[in-house]
């Protein structure tokens, strides 16, 4: 599922909403705001959301993007859902490690391995 | 190999357009001076964070307020100075975003990333100017 103004690709695989990014760089505030809106809409649209965010093809992100991910994490948790991140490149994973967010998020190497973890 | 240092003194008036121009010029200078992919990634991120901070937090996105940008890049180091028109802030007062109780707060990580990636970060009183230096060399162990 995507529309012309969307900044994300969102598909449904076995009850899991799989989200990928259309941009290589997630740094523009307007784009980040739109990403947040679209992911929150996915989360709010499910009673118990199962969401996989794949960073396949993403080579840059900013602290503002981390903020959106944290907001998503908090919303999913409130609804007893599940959120996995996957396909994170080494430089971007370093950002997660520096900020210790690798401890907060469930992170899988690949989308395929993440899909196996959803209950 | 570039012999003359790349020096820029710019007054930034609009965040996205000017930031992009800064990033493009710096990216080229880093490549020409032999900086690694890791260094280019780190510096791009830190410029993004510092200049966005200057416009958003320093100048509070007020129209007409500008950000002064200075950089000097040679094969030894890349130095940056970013100054906004705000009243400044006390960097010691920024909560540690990696503390257990702050981990789920969505903001406050830009400063931490700059400190992690740059070789030196200095806040100049009253806190509306930041100086950052990246020393060129092998990538730090990750």
């Amino acid at each position: 599922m995507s529309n012309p103004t969307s900044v994300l690709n969102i598909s449904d695989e076995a009850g899991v909403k799989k989200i990928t990014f259309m941009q290589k760089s997630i740094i523009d505030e307007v784009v980040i705001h739109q990403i947040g809106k679209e992911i929150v809409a996915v989360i709010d649209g499910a009673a118990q959301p199962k969401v996989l965010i794949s960073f396949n093809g993403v080579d840059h992100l900013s602290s503002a993007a981390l903020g959106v991910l944290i907001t998503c994490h908090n919303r999913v948790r409130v609804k007893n859902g599940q959120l996995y991140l996957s396909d994170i490149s080494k430089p971007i994973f370093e950002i997660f490690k520096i900020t210790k967010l690798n401890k907060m998020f469930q992170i899988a190497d690949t989308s395929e391995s993440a899909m196996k973890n959803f209950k | 190999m570039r012999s003359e240092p790349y020096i820029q003194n710019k007054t930034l008036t609009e965040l996205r357009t000017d930031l992009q121009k800064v990033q493009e010029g710096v990216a080229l200078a880093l490549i020409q001076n032999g900086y690694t992919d890791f260094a280019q990634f780190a510096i791009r991120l830190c410029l993004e964070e510092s200049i966005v901070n200057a416009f958003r937090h320093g100048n509070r996105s007020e129209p007409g307020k500008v950000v002064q940008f200075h950089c000097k890049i040679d094969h030894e180091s890349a130095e940056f100075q970013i100054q906004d028109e705000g009243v400044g802030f006390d960097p010691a007062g920024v909560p540690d975003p990696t503390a257990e109780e702050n981990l789920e707060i969505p903001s406050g990580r830009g400063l931490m990333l700059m400190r992690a990636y740059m070789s030196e970060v200095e806040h100049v009183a009253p806190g509306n100017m930041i100086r950052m230096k990246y020393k060129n060399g092998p990538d730090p162990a990750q």
Side-chain angles (χ1 to χ4, degrees), chain B residues 94-106:
Chain B
V94 177
D96 176 7
T98 63
E100 192 74 31
E101 65 274 18
N102 297 333
L103 215 49
E104 295 187 357
I105 299 173

Side-chain angles (χ1 to χ4, degrees), chain B residues 23 26 52 58 67 72-73 83 88 93 114 116 140:
Chain B
Q23 292 281 27
V26 167
V52 167
V67 170
K72 176 173 174 267
I73 300 170
Q83 182 175 19
M114 288 183 251

Side-chain angles (χ1 to χ4, degrees), chain A:
Chain A
M1 181 182 80
S2 67
N3 65 57
T5 56
S6 177
V7 290
L8 301 173
N9 290 307
I10 304 171
S11 59
D12 196 315
E13 294 182 23
V16 175
K17 294 289 185 187
K18 183 180 172 186
I19 296 169
T20 57
F21 298 93
M22 292 182 181
Q23 284 82 9
K24 281 171 65 179
S25 294
I26 311 175
I27 53 175
D28 185 294
E29 289 170 300
V30 176
V31 172
I32 291 170
H33 179 71
Q34 181 67 19
I35 286 170
K37 250 174 68 175
E38 291 186 33
I39 300 180
V40 164
V42 167
I43 295 166
D44 288 352
Q48 206 170 0
K50 294 180 180 180
V51 180
L52 168 59
I53 302 177
S54 166
F55 288 81
N56 189 23
V58 174
D59 61 13
H60 257 279
L61 58 72
S62 67
S63 66
L66 293 178
V68 164
L69 293 172
I70 293 165
T71 299
C72 294
H73 163 87
N74 295 345
R75 284 196 176 227
V76 167
R77 201 185 54 176
V78 165
K79 298 183 104 175
N80 285 322
Q82 290 176 270
L83 171 66
Y84 275 86
L85 311 183
S86 71
D87 306 291
I88 300 176
S89 69
K90 196 176 167 187
I92 290 182
F93 189 68
E94 187 66 19
I95 293 178
F96 280 86
K97 281 204 304 190
I98 289 169
T99 53
K100 297 192 179 172
L101 291 174
N102 59 321
K103 293 180 178 175
M104 190 182 87
F105 286 107
Q106 307 259 39
I107 298 176
D109 288 343
T110 64
S111 305
E112 291 73 24
S113 57
M115 286 299 288
K116 291 176 188 163
N117 290 322
F118 283 98
K119 295 166 191 161

Side-chain angles (χ1 to χ4, degrees), chain B residues 2-126:
Chain B
R2 194 184 185 98
S3 53
E4 291 296 314
Y6 174 79
I7 296 173
Q8 290 286 298
N9 287 297
K10 284 182 181 293
T11 299
L12 312 183
T13 57
E14 200 281 321
L15 173 56
R16 287 313 335 164
T17 312
D18 287 344
L19 178 54
Q20 189 178 339
K21 284 180 194 161
V22 163
Q23 292 281 27
E24 286 169 0
V26 167
L28 188 59
L30 294 175
I31 291 168
Q32 289 173 334
N33 282 283
Y35 285 73
T36 64
D37 288 348
F38 176 86
Q40 292 171 47
F41 176 92
I43 291 168
R44 183 178 174 189
L45 177 66
C46 293
L47 285 180
E48 174 77 25
E49 300 292 344
S50 56
I51 294 174
V52 167
N53 275 355
F55 273 98
R56 294 287 179 250
H57 300 302
N59 289 350
R60 298 183 181 273
S61 301
E62 287 178 31
K65 287 199 171 178
V66 301
V67 170
Q68 299 298 335
F69 172 80
H70 167 79
C71 82
K72 176 173 174 267
I73 300 170
D74 57 29
H75 67 280
E76 286 184 356
S77 67
E79 297 175 33
F80 305 94
Q81 179 177 296
I82 292 109
Q83 182 175 19
D84 60 56
E85 295 190 82
V87 293
F89 77 109
D90 177 10
V94 177
D96 176 7
T98 63
E100 192 74 31
E101 65 274 18
N102 297 333
L103 215 49
E104 295 187 357
I105 299 173
S107 59
R109 285 169 181 80
L111 200 54
M112 159 167 230
L113 290 172
M114 288 183 251
R115 287 173 177 153
Y117 280 109
M118 284 288 176
S119 312
E120 295 169 16
V121 174
E122 179 193 2
H123 296 275
V124 181

